[in-house]
Amino acid sequence: MKTNFETKTEEELLTITEPHVFKNPISQYTPSEHMGIEKISLDDDFTRIDFVYIAPKQYINGGWIQMDSGCFIRPIGSETRYRMVSAINIPLAPSKYYFKSKGQVHHFSLLFPPLPKSVKQIDIIERLAEGTYFNFFRVSLQHNEPTLIRIVNEN
């Protein structure tokens, strides 16, 4: 998509969306109030999911995060699993990323094989097991209004 930025207002520039980039997608289930999906990008080569995580206040230094190497995405209504091919800015288990402070913001991305263009919803599964895994269910591939991650003041 070619856009002439010189003729656009600031408001118009902030609301430009590419047809296959879904910002702030809504999911039926989100694993934690500290984690959110910033955007999902679909193209012919891969599916990229960009996340943001805010270190919880319950841990002295904010705790840690990691990603299971068996992470996958699955279109709703299908048993086909698209296994993660790359993790950017988050270590794979057993390695961990340790936060330096409570409330620290960390961005990371996961890459998967390309999805069929007809897919409208996906599950993002770090690991199908009991525990504190980054699992999102029924993530809608549609354009949504910007949202904020809510931080609970524990004082």
Side-chain angles (χ1 to χ4, degrees):
M1 172 172 82
K2 189 172 183 177
T3 303
N4 183 354
F5 292 112
E6 293 176 8
T7 62
K8 301 280 185 193
T9 66
E10 183 177 346
E11 184 176 321
E12 290 171 322
L13 288 173
L14 292 174
T15 59
I16 291 173
T17 55
E18 298 171 50
H20 299 292
V21 175
F22 305 97
K23 296 179 181 178
N24 305 300
I26 296 170
S27 64
Q28 187 175 33
Y29 173 81
T30 301
S32 163
E33 64 187 7
H34 300 283
M35 185 167 178
I37 302 169
E38 291 184 302
K39 71 180 175 181
I40 299 175
S41 305
L42 308 175
D43 68 26
D44 294 336
D45 298 322
F46 60 86
T47 299
R48 177 181 173 140
I49 305 175
D50 296 321
F51 297 91
V52 62
Y53 186 88
I54 301 173
K57 294 182 179 187
Q58 68 196 49
Y59 302 112
I60 294 171
N61 290 323
W64 53 266
I65 58 173
Q66 64 184 184
M67 185 56 56
D68 190 281
S69 62
C71 182
F72 64 91
I73 56 177
R74 174 181 61 199
I76 299 301
S78 171
E79 291 302 316
T80 303
R81 294 179 177 195
Y82 295 83
R83 292 182 53 91
M84 178 180 61
V85 295
S86 183
I88 301 166
N89 208 27
I90 186 168
L92 298 180
S95 297
K96 296 175 180 161
Y97 173 84
Y98 291 93
F99 291 97
K100 293 177 178 54
S101 63
K102 300 174 183 181
Q104 180 182 339
V105 177
H106 186 75
H107 299 269
F108 66 94
S109 301
L110 303 178
L111 298 177
F112 301 90
L115 287 169
K117 302 251 187 274
S118 61
V119 173
K120 302 292 184 219
Q121 286 186 326
I122 60 172
D123 291 334
I124 304 167
I125 309 293
E126 178 185 9
R127 188 171 190 184
L128 273 177
E130 293 293 321
T132 55
Y133 297 105
F134 295 147
N135 296 334
F136 292 80
F137 295 98
R138 292 196 171 274
V139 179
S140 181
L141 299 180
Q142 66 182 29
H143 297 286
N144 295 298
E145 295 298 318
T147 58
L148 298 174
I149 296 175
R150 183 175 60 91
I151 304 298
V152 177
N153 186 353
E154 298 174 0
N155 293 335

